[in-house]
Amino acid sequence: MSVAFRRDSDEEHLEPKFELPIPAGPNLVTKRGLELIASRVAELESEIDHAEEDALPALKRDLRYWQTRQITAEVMPPPASDNVEFGSKVTISLNGTPKTFQIVGSDEAEPAAGLVSFTAPLSRAVVGAAVGEVLPFGAVADAIRILEISSP
């Protein structure tokens, strides 16, 4: 029989399902970030208990991701210096436009809400800086001016 007419099952024609990629590097989180991860794990466990059979693989995959993030989470202490650190709330002037954001873990980042991952280029550009410093960003030598640093 020709291979063209052979079909063992519908499963062999489905796209493979891969695990969700874990971001490289340490899993630094704020206290709030750890609480968000724990909440997500509990939510997924509850969904799995009441899910239809066809939804289980995706829910279990998501649960594995969040459980891994929960296990590997490193809660960072609140910022303790006058310089920008993980967890700091920073007000800057970016090319003349004021912006305020907090530096947080990758899983709790939400740029529209002012929560920027510590791995983001903007965060990396300002970490270690003090109020009044002018920093390069992109191709502009004086793109960032640190206006205020606080602990949320």
Side-chain angles (χ1 to χ4, degrees):
M1 176 186 259
S2 171
V3 176
F5 295 106
R6 183 186 63 79
R7 185 165 167 181
D8 291 335
S9 72
D10 288 335
E11 291 295 315
E12 68 184 68
H13 299 288
L14 297 176
E15 289 286 324
K17 303 290 187 232
F18 298 103
E19 292 298 310
L20 296 173
I22 303 289
N27 182 15
L28 307 180
V29 298
T30 62
K31 183 180 173 194
R32 175 187 171 273
L34 186 61
E35 291 167 359
L36 289 172
I37 291 171
S39 173
R40 185 67 181 135
V41 167
E43 180 181 309
L44 285 166
E45 288 172 339
S46 176
E47 286 181 38
I48 286 171
D49 289 343
H50 303 93
E52 299 291 325
E53 190 68 31
D54 60 335
L56 282 175
L59 288 170
K60 287 181 177 180
R61 181 197 63 206
D62 290 351
L63 180 61
R64 285 190 299 275
Y65 171 86
W66 287 106
Q67 286 175 328
T68 300
R69 297 304 279 170
Q70 187 175 37
I71 292 167
T72 61
E74 297 175 41
V75 179
M76 298 298 290
S81 76
D82 292 336
N83 293 353
V84 178
E85 300 177 19
F86 183 94
S88 293
K89 186 172 184 180
V90 187
T91 301
I92 63 171
S93 173
L94 179 60
N95 296 320
T97 304
K99 298 203 179 295
T100 300
F101 59 93
Q102 182 182 359
I103 300 174
V104 297
S106 299
D107 292 319
E108 64 183 305
E110 198 177 329
L115 302 170
V116 178
S117 171
F118 72 99
T119 61
L122 183 59
S123 294
R124 291 192 318 239
V126 300
V127 166
V131 172
E133 280 192 55
V134 176
L135 306 165
F137 188 66
V140 181
D142 60 350
I144 299 172
R145 177 180 299 278
I146 306 294
L147 303 176
E148 185 181 345
I149 302 168
S150 62
S151 280

